[in-house]
Amino acid sequence: MTYPLPPVEELRLIDAELWQLDARRAQLLTRRARLVAALHRPVPPMPLAPPRPEASAPRVQNVLLVLGGVLLTIAAVAFTLVSWGHLGIAGRALVLGAVTLAALAAPVALLKRGLGSTAESVAGLGLALTVLDAYALHEVAFTGTGGTAYAALAAAALAGLWAAYGLLPPTAPLRSPVPAALLSTQLPLLLWALAVGGGPYRIASALLATAGFDTVVALMSTAGAVRLVAAVGACGTGALGAWTAGWLSWDAAGPSAAARAAALLALAAVIALGAAWRLEQPVTAAGGAVAGGLLLVTALGGLLRVTLPDDWTVPGHLALGVALLAAVRAPLPEPVRRGLLLASGAVQALALLWTVPLVAVTLLGPVARATHVWSGAPSDARATVTADAPWPPHAVAVPVVLAVVTAVLLLAVRDTTWRPRALVGALTLAWATALVLPAVLELPYAAGLSVQGVTTAAALLMAGSIRHHAPAQEPGRPSAQATAYLPAQVTALVLALLTALALSFGALATRTATLTVLCALTALFAGASLVSRLAPVTAPAALTHATALAVATGAAAGWQPSHTALLVLAVPVAAALLAARLGDSPATVPVEAAGAAAGLLATGLALADPPMLALMLGLCAVITAGVAIRPDRRPVGHASAALFALAAWVRLASWGVSAPEAYTLPVTVPALFLGVLRRRHDPRTSSWTAYGPGLGATLLPSLAAAWGDPHWTRPLLLGTAALLLTLLGARHRLQAPLVLGGGVLTLVALHELAPYLVQMAGALPRWVPPALAGLLLLALGATYEQRIRDVRRVREVLGKMN
């Protein structure tokens, strides 16, 4: 210790430490004694829990009964089908009759003894035996009867027999006979229709009649199993019958066939709507009403299809779907009303889906004009959009469909929650109507472009007039009404952009149309940018169309692309000036991005002309330098410097200059000047930050060139410059000049002395290199040992410290 304590104080500290050690030792000894005692204490064995059963007794019982019934049924079937011929007629009847009567009578005695599950199993066996009895009866007594007709009669007879057996007082507790009887009733009418050969109309009638019977049973029955079987049967047979009737309606060739199919569909609709009216669960009732409404539309639509031209089939169905909206004011239960409204919406959605191909052709078809620029005006608006795309069939009525659904959305939706969403849909559909109308009506080419221009202006006007700044409930926060109508505003803006894009491509057919349309669109979007909330979208759109206008103007004047680039460069200038005026507006960044894209396009147009490319890069550097004057855009100055350097490089390359110093010195000098200014402003700046980039920009390329230069001029000049940098770095104690200058000077010297070193290596004896390597290894080992010894000394000194 450097400053030892007085003896009294040191003695006090030692006593305190000894007392703590004694206390800790006593605690550890106590704990040790307890652990030793616990180890010698006998541990009683843990009682084993009885194994838990993996299945309950009722479940085991049911499994055994079901398996027994199934095995007996299989045995009976095997006996009937395989071993039947070994007995005579009397023997056969006696065996099957006796077994069937015994199986049907046994549940009565079992129920009296309280064996309900066993009774259910035996009753199921008896019902299965009655089916075998019916099969045996056909094979013995009714062999001449047709199989389908006999199956229909047998199914009806078995249904009645099972129902009577399940309703008798002694067997009334059984739960399987009545559902089995109901299941059997699904077959008689269908089998009868197949037997008499009545065709698909009679089959559909049989299925729908069965579905109606099942529906009545499901609505009137109180037993859960019966209701379930009836509901499943009604859905299955009703869906199959309705599908068959719908296929007949679509395939009908005349009014008579269509009327019969419509009658079947109407019957299915009555069944579905009747069930929906009586059902208590809202979801199920609404589903039935949806099915009923769609079936009604399909039934009446089939009649319209055979009486109207093919072009008006979809509008006819749409009119019927819209007619379902009358259910809003009808005295119907709420679930039924909601289901009919959903059915109407489904019909309208399907009609709109039918219009999608024409809307897609009208919107995307003009893009093909990009490969036929200024090839001549098309004959009409339809030819404009079908340059490389086929015209969809039956498209005459598409505008009618779009207009009708638009009117429905505007007039029928009154709820404040759904009103903004309906407005979005109405805007989209109205836009689609205006978009396809010129092509459908085959308007002249100029008229079609005019309609699209008016559509663009209307969409922008709608976007600006939609309520966005409604009174706020809290200062600084928009109201709920403003937020609700925001999607409509965004939709209008997107539609305006899409229309402008289609219009621009469509106008590529002629030079006059291209220039006129681009001028109009530029002015239109520029005017819309006066509305502040639209400017983030419309201002860049205006700049984009201005860029396209500049390119089209240069092409129309017959200029080379490199000369057209000068005209395009006016757009980045306008964007920079506009962004400076906008300040912190949300439109600033989009405007700058559009200007940057236009500058990139201008540069690309001048790639084939190096002198003009150098001029373009220099002008872009001037523009970015002007942008960097703004305090919030200082980092753009780096891009400006890079563009200036790149412009100089391109100019030098166009002159055939190959010396790298001609490219690097214009970068190094300004970089070193900026480094000096930064060091003067902030003396704490590292020399690597201030001078490293500038020095490296010239020294490293020149060093690479010097190593491959056979002459002495460049190495001499580079070595002299490196020596001066080394001396300056040593004089001012700066790392970057010292290290870079010294390193370059060393490498230049090695390059110049390399031939002599090679000669000297050849003159030395062969044992010299291994000897030098051994000396180097010995020196490294000694240094390593010295470091280890120093570490040990430091550890000993630290160990002696308190």
Side-chain angles (χ1 to χ4, degrees):
M1 297 176 63
T2 306
Y3 301 100
L5 296 174
V8 177
E9 183 67 21
E10 187 175 357
L11 182 60
R12 187 183 64 81
L13 292 175
I14 292 174
D15 291 341
E17 291 292 337
L18 290 175
W19 181 84
Q20 292 180 359
L21 290 175
D22 292 339
R24 182 59 179 164
R25 187 172 185 276
Q27 292 178 359
L28 293 176
L29 289 174
T30 304
R31 181 59 182 167
R32 181 180 181 279
R34 291 179 180 176
L35 293 175
V36 170
L39 288 176
H40 293 287
R41 185 183 306 123
V43 180
M46 296 182 62
L48 297 177
R52 299 180 58 185
E54 297 182 356
S56 61
R59 182 173 299 177
V60 174
Q61 166 193 304
N62 293 333
V63 170
L64 294 176
L65 292 176
V66 170
L67 288 176
V70 170
L71 292 176
L72 288 175
T73 304
I74 293 174
V77 171
F79 172 77
T80 305
L81 298 179
V82 178
S83 301
W84 185 256
H86 298 290
L87 299 175
I89 297 177
R92 301 168 189 171
L94 181 62
V95 171
L96 274 180
V99 172
T100 303
L101 290 177
L104 293 177
V108 178
L110 293 173
L111 289 174
K112 291 180 179 180
R113 293 174 175 249
L115 302 176
S117 299
T118 306
E120 290 285 354
S121 299
V122 177
L125 175 62
L127 298 180
L129 289 175
T130 55
V131 177
L132 296 178
D133 288 335
Y135 170 74
L137 187 61
H138 176 267
E139 293 296 323
V140 173
F142 299 99
T143 54
T145 307
T148 306
Y150 180 80
L153 295 175
L158 289 175
L161 176 63
W162 293 349
Y165 178 74
L167 295 176
L168 291 175
T171 56
L174 295 175
R175 292 175 295 180
S176 58
V178 176
L182 185 59
L183 190 62
S184 181
T185 57
Q186 311 303 310
L187 300 176
L189 292 180
L190 176 61
L191 294 176
W192 170 78
L194 293 174
V196 298
Y201 286 96
R202 187 165 294 180
I203 293 175
S205 301
L207 290 171
L208 292 177
T210 304
F213 171 76
D214 291 335
T215 302
V216 173
V217 173
L219 294 174
M220 298 182 63
S221 178
T222 57
V226 175
R227 295 189 63 177
L228 177 61
V229 173
V232 173
C235 293
T237 56
L240 188 58
W243 181 268
T244 305
W247 175 74
L248 292 173
S249 176
W250 181 260
D251 196 54
S256 176
R260 287 188 292 168
L264 294 175
L265 289 170
L267 175 60
V270 169
I271 294 173
L273 291 175
W277 192 295
R278 294 290 303 274
L279 288 173
E280 298 179 356
Q281 296 181 356
V283 176
T284 309
V290 169
L294 293 176
L295 289 171
L296 282 177
V297 171
T298 306
L300 298 178
L303 295 175
L304 294 177
R305 188 184 62 81
V306 297
T307 56
L308 295 176
D310 293 339
D311 294 338
W312 297 95
T313 299
V314 175
H317 284 79
L318 177 61
L320 296 173
V322 173
L324 291 178
L325 295 176
V328 176
R329 301 184 180 277
L332 298 174
E334 181 60 27
V336 177
R337 183 185 296 111
R338 188 184 310 115
L340 291 177
L341 293 179
L342 291 176
S344 175
V347 174
Q348 297 178 57
L350 292 174
L352 292 178
L353 187 63
W354 174 73
T355 66
V356 168
L358 180 60
V359 176
V361 168
T362 309
L363 183 62
L364 303 178
V367 178
R369 290 289 165 187
T371 59
H372 310 287
V373 178
W374 297 349
S375 58
S379 58
D380 51 40
R382 182 176 297 184
T384 305
V385 301
T386 56
D388 291 335
W391 182 254
H394 310 305
V396 176
V398 168
V400 177
V401 172
L402 295 171
V404 168
V405 181
T406 303
V408 169
L409 290 175
L410 291 176
L411 299 177
V413 181
R414 297 294 183 182
D415 185 72
T416 56
T417 302
W418 289 93
R419 183 68 177 174
R421 305 174 189 178
L423 181 59
V424 171
L427 280 175
T428 306
L429 295 179
W431 165 81
T433 304
L435 186 69
V436 303
L437 195 59
V440 172
L441 298 179
E442 296 182 285
L443 296 180
Y445 173 67
L449 296 182
S450 301
V451 171
Q452 288 185 331
V454 173
T455 303
T456 305
L460 290 175
L461 181 62
M462 184 66 67
S465 61
I466 290 176
R467 289 174 292 178
H468 181 68
H469 293 291
Q473 298 177 355
E474 298 181 11
R477 296 183 60 184
S479 64
Q481 186 179 14
T483 304
Y485 281 92
L486 182 59
Q489 184 186 47
V490 174
T491 301
L493 280 174
V494 172
L495 296 178
L497 294 176
L498 290 176
T499 312
L501 187 63
L503 177 58
S504 301
F505 279 108
L508 293 177
T510 64
R511 179 183 292 108
T512 304
T514 301
L515 297 176
T516 304
V517 166
L518 291 177
C519 285
L521 291 177
T522 303
L524 182 62
F525 282 103
S529 301
L530 298 176
V531 182
S532 59
R533 62 179 178 273
L534 302 182
V537 176
T538 55
L543 293 174
T544 302
H545 287 91
T547 304
L549 177 60
V551 175
T553 302
W559 294 354
Q560 295 294 328
S562 57
H563 296 131
T564 304
L566 291 172
L567 188 60
V568 175
L569 203 62
V571 177
V573 175
L577 296 175
L578 180 59
R581 184 171 183 178
L582 290 174
D584 295 334
S585 171
T588 303
V589 175
V591 166
E592 291 175 339
L600 184 62
L601 175 62
T603 305
L605 291 174
L607 284 177
D609 190 351
M612 186 61 68
L613 177 60
L615 177 61
M616 294 301 302
L617 291 172
L619 293 176
C620 291
V622 173
I623 297 172
T624 52
V627 173
I629 296 176
R630 295 163 49 191
D632 57 338
R633 293 294 185 268
R634 297 294 189 202
V636 182
H638 301 289
S640 178
L643 289 171
F644 273 123
L646 190 59
W649 294 348
V650 172
R651 174 58 68 181
L652 291 172
S654 65
W655 287 340
V657 177
S658 59
E661 291 79 10
Y663 297 89
T664 57
L665 285 176
V667 177
T668 296
V669 174
L672 292 177
F673 177 72
L674 293 176
V676 171
L677 293 180
R678 184 168 182 180
R679 287 271 298 179
R680 184 174 297 177
H681 178 71
D682 186 8
R684 294 175 298 178
T685 303
S686 171
S687 63
W688 289 103
T689 303
Y691 308 124
L695 295 176
T698 294
L699 291 177
L700 298 180
S702 298
L703 178 62
W707 271 70
D709 194 347
H711 304 287
W712 59 271
T713 307
R714 177 177 280 111
L716 178 60
L717 295 176
L718 180 60
T720 304
L723 178 60
L724 292 176
L725 282 176
T726 304
L727 295 176
L728 287 175
R731 173 68 179 80
H732 297 283
R733 297 181 181 179
L734 298 176
Q735 282 187 0
L738 182 62
V739 174
L740 290 176
V744 171
L745 180 60
T746 302
L747 292 175
V748 170
L750 288 174
H751 174 265
E752 295 301 316
L753 296 176
Y756 304 102
L757 294 176
V758 171
Q759 293 178 3
M760 185 178 64
L764 290 175
R766 294 191 176 185
W767 58 267
V768 173
L772 293 176
L775 291 175
L776 178 61
L777 293 176
L778 287 176
L780 291 176
T783 304
Y784 187 76
E785 183 180 6
Q786 179 67 29
R787 290 180 179 178
I788 292 176
R789 187 179 62 185
D790 293 340
V791 170
R792 289 176 179 174
R793 289 180 178 178
V794 171
R795 185 174 59 185
E796 292 175 358
V797 172
L798 293 176
K800 294 178 180 180
M801 293 182 181
N802 186 4

